[in-house]
Amino acid sequence: MELLAPAGSISALKCAIHNGADAVYLGLGELNARSKCTDFTVDNLVQWVEYCHLYGAKVYVTVNTSVKNSELDRVKYIVSSIQKANADAVIACDLATIKAVIEESDLPLHISTQSGVHDFYSGKFYQQLGASRVVLARECYPDDIKAVKQTGLEVETFVHGALCVSSSGGCLMSSMAFGLSGNRGKCLQLCRKEYYCPEYGNKGYLLSAKDFCLIHRLSELKELGVDSLKIEGRNRRPEYSGIVTACYRQALDNNLSARELDLLIYDMQKVFYRGYTSGYDIDKRIINSQCQNHVGVPIGKIVSTEQIKGFTFAYVKSNYQIAKGDGLKILSKGKEVGGSDVTSVAQEKGLQKIPVSEGVKEGFDVNLTSCQQQLKIVLDRKKKIEVDFLLDLQGEKATLLAKTKNISVRVEGETLGEANNEFPLRAKAQISKCGNTPFEAKEVLILGNKILKISSINLLRRTALELLEKKIVADYNRSSREKTCINLPCRKAKLSGDIIEINSLDQLSVINKYDNLVFLPKSISHSYLKHQIESLREKGFDPYVKLPRFMHTKDFALVKDLFILKKVKLVAESNAIVEFARENNLSYIAGMGLNVYNEKALAFYNDADAIVISPEVGLSKDLEKYSPYVFVYGNLPLMTLLHCPHRESGKSESCSNCKQKGKSITYVDDGGRRFKIVPTTSDNGCVFTLYNQSLTEIKNTGRFNRYLSMIGVDLSCKSKNQGFVNKEVL
C-alpha cells in the first residue's frame, strides 16, 4: 500500500519525503482546500515535483475547491501547468475541474474526499467520467470500501489526522455564518467552538471531532484492497508530517505487535493529539467535548508553584525529563488552563522547576505537546539514494561509473600516468565522500592503480552525481492516459414553478398552492417508505423523495427494490443517488447537496428534472440565464452528521434500544445562533442533518426558480409563511 503524506509547506514536503512517504499531496496557492498553504505555486511546482521524483516519490496536486464561473479559464491553465510540471495526478472535486483534467490533459484523475465517495454508485459515477482513483469519505465502513472496489477504481483512504464532523465535502456552516466557504478552502472551523445543548443542559465542544488513527487497522485495510493510506494535515507543522509518516512507515514495513503500535501512537500524540477515533464502524463516540485542540500526552503533575521576580514557576513531579525547547500544556480536569514553552529547567529535590503561565496551581496536570528531542530526530533525518561507483584507473583516462538501480552515468578525467599500489585505497575513501548530496556510496570498486589528483577525483564524483541526479529526474516515468471527451447526458425539459419540500402533510397547511412537491422522509426503513409513498399517492400527490446525502451500501439495499417497483422520483443530494437514479431509469432532481457552482457542472445534470445550485453561489448573474433553482426559503441544511448527538451527550443507549430515536436536538453557539439537528432513521442507524434555525428568505429571484423548504419551520407563524411562500415572483 502507498503511504501518502501531507505537504502543506516546502519544509513539510521535505519532512515527509525523508521520513518514508511514497507520495505527497500539495496544493497551489489557489483553488486548493487549504488556502493558508501558499508555498507551492504554478511557477515553482516543477522544482518540487523534480525533488520528489528524485527520491522516487509521487506528487498529487490538489485543485479541490468549488469553482466559480469566472475561474473556469484559470482552472484550465492550472491543469495545464500541473501536466507540464510532470506531477503524478490531480485531486479534484468540482465537475468543471474534472472535465478539464479528463479532456485537456493526460494526467490521472483522483476524486477528492470533498466529493463524498462512499459506496458503489458514487464510485461508478466517477469511474465512468474517467477517474482512476477515489479518496473515500472518512465515514465509510468496510462494506462500503468493498463496494467501491467493485468499480475497478483505486481506493485511497484517510488513516490519520483531522476528521470533519460533517460528512465529507458537505459543510455550509462557515459559509452561511461569515461568507467564508469551507468548499473554497476558507473554513473557519466553527465546529471547534463551544455549544450548549438545552435538551441535555450540557455545554462543551459538542461538534469537535477527534482525530483519525487507524494504525491498528492497516492489515484490515490491506485485505479490503485499499491502495493508498492518506495522512491528513496540510495545515499542521512540518514535524507533524514527518513524525506521523515515520510511524506509519514503521508499521507498514514491520510486523509490529499491538504493544509496539501503541508506542508509535504515543510518539504521534506528542506532536498532535485531541483524542483518537478508530473509525465510525468501531468507535461510537467520535466527539471530544472537552477539547478542540492539541493537548499532548500526560507526563506529570504540579506539586507547587512560586513567584520569582513577577514570573510564575512550577515544580513538576514527572518521570519524563523535561528539556529546554519542549512544549507543555497545563490541564485541570481535562481542560486547558495554562502552558509553557520551556526556556529553562532546574532540578530541585527530585522535582523539575519550569516557568509556566499565570493561573497555574498545585494539583494541575502537565502534558507534553512538543518534544524537542523527537523533533530534532525527525527534522534532521535525510533519505539517501544508494550509489555504486566503479573508478577505472587502468588507462590513459580515468573513468568513473555511478549507478543506482537501473540508471547509470559515466564521466572521464585525466590520470597522471604514475602507478601507486596504495592509491586505490585513498581513491576509494575520496569517492565515498558524497557530502550533502542526495546520495551515499553503497559500493566503491577501483580498477588499476594509476594516480589522480585528489581534486580530480572530487570533480569526477561531483560531476557524476550531478549528471545522475538529472538523469533520475529525466527518466522518471509517470502514469498517463489518453485525453478523452466526457459524454454529457442529453438535455431534458426542466420543471417549472416552485418546488416545495415537506416532511409531513401538516406542512401543506401553510401552502395554498405549489407546483412540485418534495417529500423528506423521517425514516428510510422499507416499511415506513412504502407506507408513506402509498399514502401520498392515494391523496393525489406524486412527490420526489429526498434521500440523505450520505447512505451506506447497506442503506441502498433497503430502498432499491421498493423504488424500482414504485418508480419513485428522487432528489439527489449526492452523485451516488444520481447514478442510482440513472441506472434504474428513475426521474431525479439534482439537489443542492451536489454543490453545483458553475455552468460546466450544470451540464453534467442535463438529464435531471431540475437543478438546484449551491446556496453558496446564490443569485449568481453567471448562472441566471440557465434558470436553475435556488434555495430561497426555510431552514438551510448546513451539515450531515454520521455520529449520534444523543449518544455523545451520554444520554442515549445502544441503537437497538435507543429511547431518543427519531428525536431532534438543539445546539446553541456563544453568539446565540441556534441549530436544530434532525435525524433520518433507518434499520441501520440514523443520519442527522444540522439546520440553521434562522430562516433564509430571498424574495427577488429574477430568472431563478424557487426551492422552498418547510422542514423545521414554525407552523405557528402560518400567516407569515403563507405570505412568503405564495408570493408571485415576476
Side-chain angles (χ1 to χ4, degrees), residues 602-649:
L602 278 167
F604 279 78
Y605 306 110
N606 279 334
D607 59 336
D609 290 351
I611 302 172
V612 188
I613 60 173
S614 170
E616 293 186 338
V617 178
L619 304 178
S620 168
K621 292 292 183 183
D622 293 329
L623 301 181
E624 187 176 20
K625 62 184 177 182
Y626 299 98
S627 299
Y629 280 81
V630 64
F631 187 95
V632 299
Y633 184 79
N635 299 126
L636 187 66
L638 303 180
M639 290 184 181
T640 301
L641 309 177
L642 274 294
H643 73 279
C644 177
H646 295 292
R647 179 184 283 117
E648 295 292 356
S649 296

Side-chain angles (χ1 to χ4, degrees), residues 555-587:
D555 293 324
F556 275 103
L558 295 175
V559 301
K560 182 176 180 179
D561 292 343
L562 173 65
F563 281 20
I564 295 171
L565 178 65
K566 300 288 185 181
K567 279 293 177 184
V568 176
K569 300 183 296 185
L570 299 174
V571 175
E573 293 293 296
S574 70
N575 283 316
I577 300 170
V578 172
E579 185 60 34
F580 176 79
R582 287 173 175 171
E583 186 175 291
N584 296 293
N585 199 28
L586 301 176
S587 298

Side-chain angles (χ1 to χ4, degrees), residues 437-450:
T437 72
F439 304 98
E440 67 178 2
K442 181 182 179 184
E443 185 176 8
V444 180
L445 296 178
I446 310 292
L447 301 178
N449 61 358
K450 288 187 177 180

Side-chain angles (χ1 to χ4, degrees), residues 449-639:
N449 61 358
K450 288 187 177 180
I451 297 174
L452 269 177
K453 290 181 180 179
I454 296 302
S455 59
S456 297
I457 294 177
N458 291 340
L459 180 61
L460 281 173
R461 183 197 64 239
R462 186 167 60 250
T463 304
L465 293 181
E466 287 173 355
L467 291 174
L468 190 61
E469 183 173 338
K470 291 178 181 178
K471 199 166 192 303
I472 291 171
V473 172
D475 288 1
Y476 182 86
N477 185 26
R478 70 164 171 85
S479 299
S480 61
R481 52 164 189 79
E482 291 185 12
K483 297 179 184 179
T484 57
C485 184
I486 292 176
N487 295 317
L488 297 172
C490 296
R491 289 186 179 275
K492 179 179 180 180
K494 298 290 187 278
L495 298 178
S496 60
D498 293 344
I499 297 176
I500 308 291
E501 179 184 332
I502 65 168
N503 64 354
S504 87
L505 290 179
D506 293 341
Q507 292 165 329
L508 290 176
S509 65
V510 301
I511 306 170
N512 293 334
K513 75 176 192 67
Y514 65 91
D515 302 295
N516 308 284
L517 189 66
V518 167
F519 177 67
L520 175 64
K522 296 178 181 179
S523 171
I524 56 170
S525 68
H526 187 279
S527 58
Y528 175 84
L529 277 171
K530 184 174 184 294
H531 174 73
Q532 292 297 315
I533 291 167
E534 290 175 348
S535 296
L536 285 163
R537 287 180 174 175
E538 286 172 3
K539 292 177 171 61
F541 302 109
D542 186 21
Y544 292 83
V545 174
K546 183 176 178 179
L547 293 174
R549 186 178 185 277
F550 194 103
M551 292 175 60
H552 291 293
T553 297
K554 56 188 178 182
D555 293 324
F556 275 103
L558 295 175
V559 301
K560 182 176 180 179
D561 292 343
L562 173 65
F563 281 20
I564 295 171
L565 178 65
K566 300 288 185 181
K567 279 293 177 184
V568 176
K569 300 183 296 185
L570 299 174
V571 175
E573 293 293 296
S574 70
N575 283 316
I577 300 170
V578 172
E579 185 60 34
F580 176 79
R582 287 173 175 171
E583 186 175 291
N584 296 293
N585 199 28
L586 301 176
S587 298
Y588 77 97
I589 291 171
M592 63 183 173
L594 298 174
N595 208 32
V596 174
Y597 243 74
N598 54 68
E599 61 187 31
K600 298 294 184 184
L602 278 167
F604 279 78
Y605 306 110
N606 279 334
D607 59 336
D609 290 351
I611 302 172
V612 188
I613 60 173
S614 170
E616 293 186 338
V617 178
L619 304 178
S620 168
K621 292 292 183 183
D622 293 329
L623 301 181
E624 187 176 20
K625 62 184 177 182
Y626 299 98
S627 299
Y629 280 81
V630 64
F631 187 95
V632 299
Y633 184 79
N635 299 126
L636 187 66
L638 303 180
M639 290 184 181

Side-chain angles (χ1 to χ4, degrees), residues 314-483:
Y315 291 88
V316 179
K317 184 177 182 180
S318 174
N319 291 326
Y320 170 81
Q321 181 56 57
I322 300 171
K324 187 176 179 180
D326 283 351
L328 305 176
K329 277 191 177 177
I330 316 298
L331 295 90
S332 175
K333 298 179 181 179
K335 290 197 173 184
E336 181 182 348
V337 292
S340 173
D341 292 323
V342 181
T343 55
S344 66
V345 187
Q347 307 294 325
E348 295 187 14
K349 298 179 181 179
L351 302 175
Q352 301 183 59
K353 178 183 172 184
I354 59 170
V356 293
S357 55
E358 291 183 15
V360 172
K361 298 179 181 179
E362 176 185 339
F364 285 0
D365 297 312
V366 180
N367 280 20
L368 178 70
T369 57
S370 178
C371 174
Q372 187 62 28
Q373 183 181 12
Q374 181 190 40
L375 298 188
K376 180 172 174 43
I377 291 171
V378 75
L379 292 172
D380 289 349
R381 186 173 285 142
K382 292 292 182 285
K383 184 178 182 179
K384 292 291 186 177
I385 302 166
E386 291 184 337
V387 182
D388 291 327
F389 291 100
L390 175 61
L391 178 62
D392 190 343
L393 299 174
Q394 299 176 106
E396 292 184 5
K397 290 184 177 293
T399 62
L400 178 64
L401 176 71
K403 181 179 180 182
T404 178
K405 295 182 180 177
N406 60 341
I407 298 175
S408 63
V409 296
R410 186 186 301 271
V411 292
E412 291 185 345
E414 298 292 335
T415 70
L416 296 178
E418 302 174 22
N420 186 327
N421 290 334
E422 295 179 3
F423 185 74
L425 187 62
R426 188 177 181 189
K428 182 175 182 178
Q430 204 66 28
I431 288 291
S432 300
K433 294 179 180 179
C434 296
N436 292 325
T437 72
F439 304 98
E440 67 178 2
K442 181 182 179 184
E443 185 176 8
V444 180
L445 296 178
I446 310 292
L447 301 178
N449 61 358
K450 288 187 177 180
I451 297 174
L452 269 177
K453 290 181 180 179
I454 296 302
S455 59
S456 297
I457 294 177
N458 291 340
L459 180 61
L460 281 173
R461 183 197 64 239
R462 186 167 60 250
T463 304
L465 293 181
E466 287 173 355
L467 291 174
L468 190 61
E469 183 173 338
K470 291 178 181 178
K471 199 166 192 303
I472 291 171
V473 172
D475 288 1
Y476 182 86
N477 185 26
R478 70 164 171 85
S479 299
S480 61
R481 52 164 189 79
E482 291 185 12
K483 297 179 184 179

